[in-house]
Amino acid sequence: AAALSGAMAAEGPGSLLALSSAAVSRSMGALERDVWALPGHLLRGLLPLLTVFRLERAEGAARRAGLSTQPIWRKLWDDVMKTRPPNSENITCWRKKFLETFFSNVLHGVLDVSSDWRLNDHHFSPLLHSSPHVSQLTLCNMLQGAVELTAEHNQKVLENLAVSLRILKFQHLLSSDQSIRRSLVLLLHRLIHHGSVSQVSMYSWPVPDTVLLVLILSMSAGFWRSGNALTYQSSPCGLCREKDKAQSQESAQERAERGHCDGREWSDGENQKGSPRAPEEADAEVNRCRADVCLNSVLAGPRSPLQNQACGESSSKVPCDHTSIQGGSSPRCISDQLSCHSILRKTRRRLKSAVGKKRRCLRRSRGPYADPEDLYDFVFTVAREDNSGLLDKNSTTERENAENWTSSSPGSPCTGHAGCKKRGGSAGIFSLKAAHRFRSVSTLELFSIPLTGETCRTLSNLLSSWVSLENLVLSYNGLGANIFCILSGLRALSRHSDCHLRVVRVSDVFSHMPCMELVHCILSAFPRLHTLSVSFDLKNQLEGNRPEGNPSCSEAEIPESCLEQLEIRFPREPLHTVFLVPMLKASKSLQQLSLDSATLPCSQELGLLLEALKECNPNLKKLSFHDMNLAEHQKEVLLLLQDPVLQEITFSFCRLFESSTTEFLSEIINTVKRNSSLKSLKLPGNRLGNHRLVALADIFSEDSSSSLCQLDVSSNCIKPDGLLEFTKKLEGHIQQRGGQIQFTHLRLFQNWLDQDAETAQEALRRLKAVCSVVNDSWDSSQAFADYISVM
């Protein structure tokens, strides 16, 4: 009450209405129902005096009264968060923005709810009441947030997040102990496998914990092993139990319809050899094969590794057809060519073999709860899965060896792993074959996370069947030669008819293969891609030393594709049009093309490119060149500016005027004036200076037919007096045209406007009356000092 009175006093002397509103706000517990029925003019004065708990509940009443609570939530943000959110001009709902950020700050302990009277309501549970508004969440450091969210008292919070959360981010993670990882397992299982999370992003992890990283990747792909690792507060996951019950009923119904095998076959098989358990074992073998997952429900209790092994071996012999379901995949075996008789004959032999090989592992997992080291077993097994679909093997023998990776032969991938040797058991027990397949995410992003060879093999295996994946972003992961491993997984994924991959973005410091070859590989494997972005900073000097078994794929023919956006950043590689043209010809739907940091080996290359674009890509709307020396290509620049189809052209840091004459600038202006289709012209970093900027104002003269809406002149050495002169000239043209002009946006980042603040403010004020201006408070003197320091 004292805080509320203080807030009212700060706003000025109280009127009767204000005093009444304050009194009502203090008694909302008893008066809430009547308050929501108040007319709008009374409710308007009451809303700012409510706590967050009451304000959130008042949303419906305010809407019915024709009132918006957005200004109140915005003020709450300013008072409580005390920061300006990025891209604040794009925020459409301050209520959601506040409650989502509030949830994150409370979860990570950086906000004290007692710091503001509007947050301090005994009816208000910070995490519980804000969780329905959280669509993206970031977990960081030691994953304390995961531990808190999986605590028993936050069960309802987790249920709310399972419905509302769409994006889950991990940032600056550190190594964690087993208990924290188990909390993370519970969290991912609930939010991804039984929730609505569609995107998992990981940022800035210089030295990643392999176990933790592979755990997140595997569960994002919808995989997790069986056993009690998915229990919650010592009780099995109810959602899994319900699903298992339904599947059991379906399985029983299928068995009833299918019937049992012919008795004569039993008499001809193992039954004649005195095997009383053979029918039951064979029936179990058939059922496990038909499910292909080879496991009972994750919550049906601990499963014997013996069964996992037997099933894994049998399933590797049966051809499978992987068909997808929403958000994941559900493999179904096609066992038409496999008789009950043949299964029965092999079952006991396999089981006996499995008993001998896995006795130590059986002893370890005999208890009611899985051993903590089982988590390591699963994680380090994912990278050793069957690579027959990844490595383009031609030999049947090699493929069978890869499928029988669980064997203890000297060449087995498992036997070479130090972790497996240390524990004395096979890490192959809890494999992808012996794991449940749950719902998976559709977007995976990895930023600045070094990926080792082991991790890349894991990711490759996961990608090979991740049919629900729509967006893949790998940025600065130090792939090196491991890029071929990732490509193997992607090629395997492309063979699935239900593959949904539409966006691929790969960027790194060093390129281990030519950019054009990488683009060719991906595009030939994924003709249904909509967006492909390949970006490298530097060329690897060892680029030619490709691993064995990874021949150049640039010879493969590119089928007609659905590509709409292509971005290539060359590590100072020459742009050979002869390699780019086949891609352009195959991409009739291309709408955006961006070429960055390429060198032009000869003067004809750019002309050939423009001819190819005109001939092959009639739908191209946006064309961008960045950091390419176009000083000697004035003719081609003018041809682009007069293109009747292009709507957006970017010449960024292209040295357009480095060796040009005054006539070239006039030709550019006249060409743009005659082009009625061009909507956006971006010229950052071309040293326009004051006089060229002023000349550009003539684009909007009275005799112009230009439809230009956006002009970007960032980083062009523009000073305040030049900007003011441009503004005055623009105002004159607008006046001559009777105020009719389509120009709406001007970008002015990183210009020398700080040299005369008063003149700059006057120019910006007058410009903002004409169009939307986006600029920054750039310190040009500091930038110049930085430039000198690196010379």
Side-chain angles (χ1 to χ4, degrees):
L4 179 60
S5 300
M8 290 182 59
E11 295 179 358
S15 63
L16 179 59
L17 178 60
L19 293 173
S20 300
S21 298
V24 170
S25 67
R26 288 192 291 267
S27 305
M28 283 295 294
L31 302 175
E32 184 179 77
R33 188 184 299 271
D34 297 326
V35 167
W36 300 157
L38 289 174
H41 67 281
L42 295 178
L43 199 58
R44 182 183 294 107
L46 179 62
L47 289 175
L49 303 178
L50 299 179
T51 62
V52 168
F53 175 73
R54 300 296 176 185
L55 180 61
E56 204 272 333
R57 290 165 64 92
E59 200 68 31
R63 193 179 302 111
R64 288 191 297 271
L67 302 175
S68 172
T69 60
Q70 291 299 304
I72 303 173
W73 289 107
R74 174 61 198 265
K75 188 175 188 306
L76 260 172
W77 176 280
D78 294 337
D79 295 344
V80 175
M81 305 302 174
K82 296 180 174 63
T83 59
R84 180 183 178 183
N87 302 318
S88 58
E89 63 277 2
N90 298 327
I91 296 176
T92 57
C93 182
W94 282 97
R95 173 196 181 201
K96 180 184 184 304
K97 180 65 178 177
F98 176 84
L99 290 173
E100 186 173 61
T101 307
F102 174 79
F103 178 92
S104 179
N105 288 350
V106 171
L107 179 66
H108 294 103
V110 297
L111 178 63
D112 182 6
V113 294
S114 64
S115 61
D116 193 288
W117 63 271
R118 289 163 292 189
L119 310 177
N120 197 7
D121 189 317
H122 68 278
H123 296 98
F124 183 51
S125 175
L127 295 181
L128 179 61
H129 289 103
S130 58
S131 56
H133 302 275
V134 179
S135 60
Q136 64 174 331
L137 176 65
T138 301
L139 300 177
C140 51
N141 300 331
M142 295 293 293
L143 293 170
Q144 302 94 328
V147 176
E148 177 66 19
L149 289 175
T150 53
E152 187 172 8
H153 62 273
N154 281 325
Q155 185 173 359
K156 180 61 178 175
V157 175
L158 198 56
E159 291 177 8
N160 288 342
L161 290 177
V163 175
S164 66
L165 197 65
R166 296 292 182 272
I167 301 174
L168 183 59
K169 298 181 179 181
F170 297 91
Q171 192 168 17
H172 305 303
L173 293 186
L174 303 173
S175 297
S176 56
D177 59 27
Q178 188 69 19
S179 63
I180 293 178
R181 282 195 291 269
R182 290 196 177 277
S183 296
L184 180 62
V185 167
L186 295 176
L187 184 73
L188 296 177
H189 180 61
R190 186 66 183 92
L191 297 183
I192 297 177
H193 301 164
H194 295 301
S196 303
V197 169
S198 59
Q199 174 178 329
V200 168
S201 303
M202 288 185 270
Y203 300 83
S204 303
W205 201 356
V207 186
D209 180 333
T210 304
V211 174
L212 200 56
L213 175 58
V214 174
L215 170 66
I216 296 173
L217 291 175
S218 303
M219 297 194 73
S220 297
F223 285 106
W224 188 239
R225 42 146 287 186
S226 66
N228 287 327
L230 293 176
T231 57
Y232 180 77
Q233 302 299 328
S234 301
S235 301
C237 170
L239 296 173
C240 282
R241 188 168 57 240
E242 292 174 6
K243 182 179 179 181
D244 178 52
K245 184 178 179 181
Q247 289 177 346
S248 299
Q249 292 174 350
E250 290 179 6
S251 178
Q253 185 176 356
E254 287 181 5
R255 286 198 302 271
E257 293 175 354
R258 186 174 67 249
H260 295 286
C261 293
D262 195 318
R264 287 175 298 180
E265 292 191 10
W266 295 118
S267 62
D268 292 338
E270 293 289 330
N271 213 24
Q272 291 182 344
K273 299 180 181 180
S275 176
R277 290 181 54 85
E280 290 82 4
E281 291 172 351
D283 186 55
E285 188 80 6
V286 171
N287 293 337
R288 289 195 295 272
C289 172
R290 288 178 61 85
D292 191 42
V293 181
C294 306
L295 292 171
N296 289 329
S297 166
V298 70
L299 303 165
R303 181 176 179 86
S304 169
L306 168 66
Q307 292 173 298
N308 292 345
Q309 171 69 10
C311 180
E313 291 182 0
S314 65
S315 64
S316 68
K317 304 292 184 182
V318 183
C320 293
D321 177 29
H322 298 275
T323 56
S324 72
I325 59 174
Q326 179 66 25
S329 66
S330 179
R332 298 182 180 180
C333 269
I334 299 179
S335 52
D336 296 341
Q337 300 177 359
L338 186 65
S339 67
C340 297
H341 179 72
S342 61
I343 295 176
L344 174 62
R345 186 176 298 164
K346 298 176 182 178
T347 300
R348 289 179 59 83
R349 182 171 67 253
R350 288 173 180 162
L351 291 176
K352 288 178 181 178
S353 175
V355 168
K357 293 176 182 177
K358 309 299 178 183
R359 187 172 301 277
R360 284 177 296 177
C361 298
L362 249 174
R363 192 159 43 245
R364 186 177 63 196
S365 59
R366 208 174 264 167
Y369 294 99
D371 190 279
E373 289 187 343
D374 288 349
L375 181 62
Y376 290 87
D377 288 340
F378 175 77
V379 163
F380 285 113
T381 296
V382 182
R384 302 183 182 86
E385 280 300 323
D386 178 4
N387 288 326
S388 60
L390 311 182
L391 302 178
D392 297 327
K393 295 180 180 177
N394 296 322
S395 169
T396 304
T397 303
E398 289 176 352
R399 185 178 296 109
E400 289 175 353
N401 290 339
E403 290 173 350
N404 293 327
W405 55 268
T406 50
S407 67
S408 56
S409 62
S412 172
C414 179
T415 58
H417 195 277
C420 293
K421 289 180 178 180
K422 181 179 178 180
R423 290 190 293 276
S426 170
I429 296 175
F430 300 112
S431 68
L432 293 186
K433 292 178 182 177
H436 283 266
R437 192 68 185 264
F438 295 92
R439 176 187 176 275
S440 54
V441 302
S442 59
T443 298
L444 176 68
E445 297 180 340
L446 304 179
F447 296 94
S448 301
I449 300 178
L451 299 181
T452 63
E454 183 85 4
T455 311
C456 285
R457 286 189 291 274
T458 297
L459 181 57
S460 178
N461 285 321
L462 293 173
L463 289 174
S464 66
S465 61
W466 200 334
V467 294
S468 70
L469 190 66
E470 298 177 12
N471 304 280
L472 175 64
V473 179
L474 301 176
S475 181
Y476 293 94
N477 306 119
L479 294 178
N482 291 321
I483 186 67
F484 299 108
C485 183
I486 301 299
L487 287 175
S488 295
L490 290 175
R491 279 196 294 269
L493 176 61
S494 69
R495 299 188 187 107
H496 291 263
S497 60
D498 50 353
C499 169
H500 287 78
L501 191 63
R502 295 296 179 267
V503 177
V504 173
R505 298 182 183 276
V506 179
S507 58
D508 219 322
V509 177
F510 293 103
S511 66
H512 204 80
M513 62 190 300
C515 282
M516 299 301 294
E517 184 177 334
L518 180 56
V519 171
H520 196 123
C521 287
I522 298 175
L523 199 55
S524 59
F526 291 95
R528 288 177 290 179
L529 271 185
H530 291 171
T531 299
L532 175 58
S533 176
V534 173
S535 172
F536 293 101
D537 298 336
L538 300 171
K539 184 176 181 179
N540 193 339
Q541 298 301 318
L542 303 177
E543 187 178 274
N545 300 335
R546 65 177 67 250
E548 247 183 76
N550 290 285
S552 171
C553 57
S554 60
E555 300 174 0
E557 184 179 352
I558 302 178
E560 186 172 344
S561 74
C562 303
L563 194 68
E564 297 177 357
Q565 182 175 348
L566 176 61
E567 301 173 358
I568 308 176
R569 185 184 183 201
F570 300 83
R572 290 299 167 193
E573 288 180 3
L575 173 61
H576 293 294
T577 311
V578 66
F579 298 134
L580 184 58
V581 168
M583 304 174 198
L584 299 178
K585 287 183 176 179
S587 307
K588 303 292 185 183
S589 303
L590 191 67
Q591 297 182 19
Q592 301 182 43
L593 175 63
S594 175
L595 302 176
D596 186 344
S597 302
T599 59
L600 298 171
C602 64
S603 57
Q604 291 81 19
E605 288 292 340
L606 188 57
L608 294 173
L609 174 61
L610 299 190
E611 290 179 12
L613 289 174
K614 186 175 181 179
E615 176 185 348
C616 306
N617 308 103
N619 299 314
L620 190 67
K621 299 294 190 296
K622 297 181 180 181
L623 181 60
S624 173
F625 297 95
H626 175 77
D627 197 14
M628 293 175 60
N629 188 357
L630 302 182
E632 305 299 329
H633 296 81
Q634 298 177 14
K635 177 183 175 182
E636 289 79 7
V637 169
L638 293 174
L639 285 173
L640 283 172
L641 291 174
Q642 67 186 25
D643 189 288
V645 179
L646 286 174
Q647 297 180 2
E648 179 179 306
I649 300 177
T650 300
F651 297 111
S652 174
F653 294 88
C654 289
R655 312 184 206 177
L656 288 183
F657 306 104
E658 188 172 276
S659 58
S660 67
T661 61
T662 308
E663 288 75 15
F664 179 52
L665 179 61
S666 300
E667 289 175 339
I668 286 180
I669 294 171
N670 291 330
T671 302
V672 175
K673 285 170 66 174
R674 293 191 299 266
N675 190 341
S676 60
S677 63
L678 188 63
K679 306 295 182 184
S680 176
L681 179 60
K682 300 181 179 181
L683 303 170
N686 284 290
R687 302 200 175 197
L688 285 174
N690 283 354
H691 66 288
R692 292 191 182 97
L693 174 67
V694 174
L696 287 178
D698 288 335
I699 292 175
F700 308 99
S701 62
E702 189 177 7
D703 61 341
S704 173
S705 57
S706 171
S707 300
L708 198 67
C709 300
Q710 300 182 25
L711 179 63
D712 188 347
V713 290
S714 302
S715 304
N716 269 299
C717 311
I718 297 169
K719 298 180 180 179
D721 55 336
L723 183 61
L724 182 58
E725 189 177 349
F726 169 81
T727 304
K728 293 177 179 178
K729 194 171 184 180
L730 182 62
E731 290 173 339
H733 289 320
I734 294 174
Q735 187 175 5
Q736 290 174 2
R737 300 178 63 164
Q740 299 298 319
I741 188 172
Q742 299 187 36
F743 185 50
T744 56
H745 289 81
L746 178 66
R747 296 175 67 88
L748 287 166
F749 288 111
Q750 296 187 351
N751 279 298
W752 299 351
L753 302 183
D754 59 330
Q755 294 188 1
D756 185 348
E758 186 176 346
T759 303
Q761 288 301 319
E762 181 185 355
L764 292 173
R765 178 181 56 80
R766 295 172 69 165
L767 269 175
K768 289 177 181 178
V770 175
C771 62
S772 174
V773 181
V774 183
N775 68 308
D776 55 4
S777 54
W778 190 58
D779 187 349
S780 58
S781 61
Q782 182 60 46
F784 184 73
D786 293 341
Y787 173 75
I788 294 296
S789 67
V790 297
M791 285 183 63

